[in-house]
Amino acid sequence: MNGSESSWDEKASQPPDSRTSLRSSSRTRTRTRHSDPDPAEPQDPGQSLHGKQRRRNLDSALAEDLSQISVDAVPTSKEKRSRSSSGAVPSCRSSGSTSRSGLSSVARLVKLGRCKNVVVVAGAGISTASGIPDFRTPGTGLYANLEKYNVPYPEAIFNIDFFSNDPQPFFLLAKALYPGAHRPNYIHYFIRMLHHKGLLRRVYTQNIDGLEKLCGVPDDKLVEAHGSFATASCHLCYTPYPSEEAKRAIMNDSIPTCSFCAATVKPDVVFFGEDLPQKYFLHTEDFPKADLLIIMGTSLQIEPFASLVNTVRSTVPRLLLNRHAVGPFERVPLRRGDHMELGDLAETVRRFAKLLGWSGEIEELMKRQELLSLPALVTSPSSQSTQTFRPDAAAASEPERGAGTPGSGPRDQRGAGSGGEDTDSETDSKSSTSSNASK
Ligand code: CNA
């Protein structure tokens, strides 16, 4: 990445601004900055320093909760996992502090005007309805389908040291992940509607698919915490490299190299051990000011991102929308003000929108934005249905919507989708006739 002070890693319980390299979950491993996840590492979080720290934090939080709360019984995380892995969509709806459904409780707060600084924390689960697999869902997730990439362990494909030695596995995957083949879905447009209503303080996404931008969430409302394909640079000296040239090289199975030091160039997607973008630091202002936190479609396994959810004020409601309980929502009882709605996210968000009375407006917004940002698709019925992630076919579909095609690349998306500059009042004045958005 570009030399900021933040990088990623799987989960350890650190304040989000104190360790800012990308890290893996302490439940599976605990690593330090600039070190890659090691599959041989002990899995018991209690054996590591950060695991002990985390347990202490949990203990004190639990004591605090117990002193304050009388809550409905919620299923244990084991129960929820077994339900979700058995394929059954849990009908469980749990709320931290009231017998009212979590969703309707939060909808009520929004309608009462109590939530005007909403922060959204999002992960790969918001894009599965667009046909992009997440990381960890058993069977369909990327980690379960990496055989052909020939990597020693799943996370290696996003490990900067591994990439330095062998960029091919990531480039093969990048061919399938490059933005252009997938459309935003109802969930993205729900987030956009929060902005439209003047309620969105910021959306923090771990996703690298650019779909928030493409659906029209403005740049200043969006933090792509794990980077994106919109820019590219040398993985060693960070010299910027034209992103379209990098894309062209990768799509043609060649390796883009730095004009300054000849090392391999990569899209500015943040790898394990790399710094997070500077914009990530907006969290120090946003989370303390949030009056509602919505967490959607993430396993909260990657640090420092995952710990962000613990930095809102203790009185601020947190709503988890996911297939199963994650992070602090795995604790029983839930913290007062915590709510979760478990099940398929697209379905849940539709229900949430209905409770808020926003359904019709979201549908309209989808139609308008899709027409604005997708002139090519609107005139091409055959391409309207391409929502499924196909590692080999995605690259093959590139010429049709490849470099230079309006709406195809991240830069085009910004322009054509008008996500960065177009205001909602501007887009609202335009009308359209059809929608290509998925779900
Ligand atoms: P993850 O660890 O794969 O977790 C996804 C979560 O979403 C899981 O808890 C799933 O159960 C849940 N989920 C998935 N689909 C649904 C659904 N339809 N309804 C309800 N819940 C659902 O992914 P995270 O985002 O937590 O991990 C962060 C990684 C993933 C980031 O670094 C990303 O770059 C990376 N990633 C991004 C994309 C993307 O940009 N679309 C795709 C795959 C991975």
Side-chain angles (χ1 to χ4, degrees), residues 19 58 79 89 95 97 115 120 147-148 164 169-170 186 189 207 239 250 252 255 270 293 296 313 320 346 382 394:
R19 295 182 71 217
L58 290 182
E79 286 167 341
V89 176
S95 146
S97 58
C115 308
V120 175
E147 302 85 7
K148 63 175 159 306
S164 206
F170 171 70
Y186 193 91
Y189 283 100
N207 293 347
T239 301
I250 292 167
N252 291 325
I255 294 182
V270 183
L293 180 67
M296 308 167 113
R313 286 166 293 133
L320 172 71
S382 61

Side-chain angles (χ1 to χ4, degrees), residues 130 180-184 214 370 373-390 393-394 396-402 405-408 434-438:
S130 293
H182 299 98
R183 309 298 317 140
L214 190 55
E370 290 296 311
S373 63
L374 277 183
L377 282 189
V378 168
T379 54
S380 168
S382 61
S383 54
Q384 292 182 9
S385 58
T386 40
Q387 288 292 326
T388 310
F389 178 84
R390 294 167 298 147
S397 72
E398 276 305 306
E400 192 182 295
R401 310 181 56 244
T405 305
S408 63
S434 71
S435 168
N436 300 311
S438 62

Side-chain angles (χ1 to χ4, degrees), residues 8 22 84 122-129 132-138 141-143 158 177 187 205-211 226 269-270 272 296-302 321-324 326 343-346 348 439:
W8 64 318
L22 205 56
S84 65
I126 74 166
S127 292
T128 53
I132 307 174
D134 64 4
F135 268 175
R136 292 179 182 80
T137 292
L142 281 173
Y143 282 177
F158 289 106
L177 287 180
I187 306 160
T205 184
Q206 296 165 97
N207 293 347
I208 53 179
D209 54 33
L211 294 184
H226 292 169
V269 168
V270 183
F272 290 114
M296 308 167 113
T298 173
S299 60
L300 293 179
Q301 290 283 302
I302 297 185
L321 308 178
N322 206 43
R323 215 187 292 282
H324 56 82
V326 294
D344 179 72
L345 194 49
T348 305
K439 286 216 179 177

Side-chain angles (χ1 to χ4, degrees), residues 4 105 127 139 173 182 201 216 218 224 247 257 265 279 294 297 428 436:
S4 68
S105 294
S127 292
L173 181 63
H182 299 98
R201 183 171 179 95
E224 292 176 313
K247 179 178 180 181
T257 51
V265 163
K279 221 175 166 187
I294 304 179
D428 285 347
N436 300 311

Side-chain angles (χ1 to χ4, degrees), residues 7-10 19 21-24 29-38 41 50 153 155 158-162 271-274:
S7 64
W8 64 318
D9 185 26
E10 282 199 29
R19 295 182 71 217
S21 63
L22 205 56
R23 307 183 297 276
S24 301
R29 56 188 60 82
T30 301
R31 303 291 295 180
T32 55
R33 189 172 187 275
H34 290 297
S35 58
D36 55 337
D38 180 351
E41 202 160 310
H50 300 307
Y153 55 96
E155 290 88 347
F158 289 106
N159 179 286
I160 195 62
D161 297 324
F162 187 89
F271 278 28
F272 290 114
E274 281 199 301

Side-chain angles (χ1 to χ4, degrees), residues 206-351:
Q206 296 165 97
N207 293 347
I208 53 179
D209 54 33
L211 294 184
E212 296 89 356
K213 212 176 263 180
L214 190 55
C215 86
V217 174
D219 273 350
D220 66 340
K221 292 285 172 184
L222 177 63
V223 175
E224 292 176 313
H226 292 169
S228 77
F229 287 90
T231 57
S233 58
C234 173
H235 86 285
L236 268 190
C237 73
Y238 307 118
T239 301
Y241 190 90
S243 61
E244 284 304 324
E245 270 181 47
K247 179 178 180 181
R248 217 169 2 255
I250 292 167
M251 290 298 172
N252 291 325
D253 297 321
S254 51
I255 294 182
T257 51
C258 177
S259 51
F260 184 70
C261 74
T264 306
V265 163
K266 75 168 184 56
D268 289 332
V269 168
V270 183
F271 278 28
F272 290 114
E274 281 199 301
D275 292 343
L276 271 63
Q278 197 61 40
K279 221 175 166 187
Y280 172 77
F281 288 96
L282 284 171
H283 75 80
T284 57
E285 293 168 23
D286 288 340
F287 283 71
K289 290 189 179 146
D291 50 22
L292 170 64
L293 180 67
I294 304 179
I295 303 157
M296 308 167 113
T298 173
S299 60
L300 293 179
Q301 290 283 302
I302 297 185
E303 291 292 356
F305 193 94
S307 288
L308 287 177
V309 303
N310 298 319
T311 63
V312 290
R313 286 166 293 133
S314 61
T315 51
V316 168
R318 301 187 296 186
L319 174 65
L320 172 71
L321 308 178
N322 206 43
R323 215 187 292 282
H324 56 82
V326 294
F329 294 81
E330 290 185 275
R331 287 200 317 252
V332 178
L334 294 178
R335 186 173 92 172
R336 184 171 58 186
D338 278 358
H339 308 270
M340 61 182 169
E341 193 78 9
L342 305 180
D344 179 72
L345 194 49
E347 193 270 329
T348 305
V349 169
R350 279 183 186 280
R351 260 191 301 123

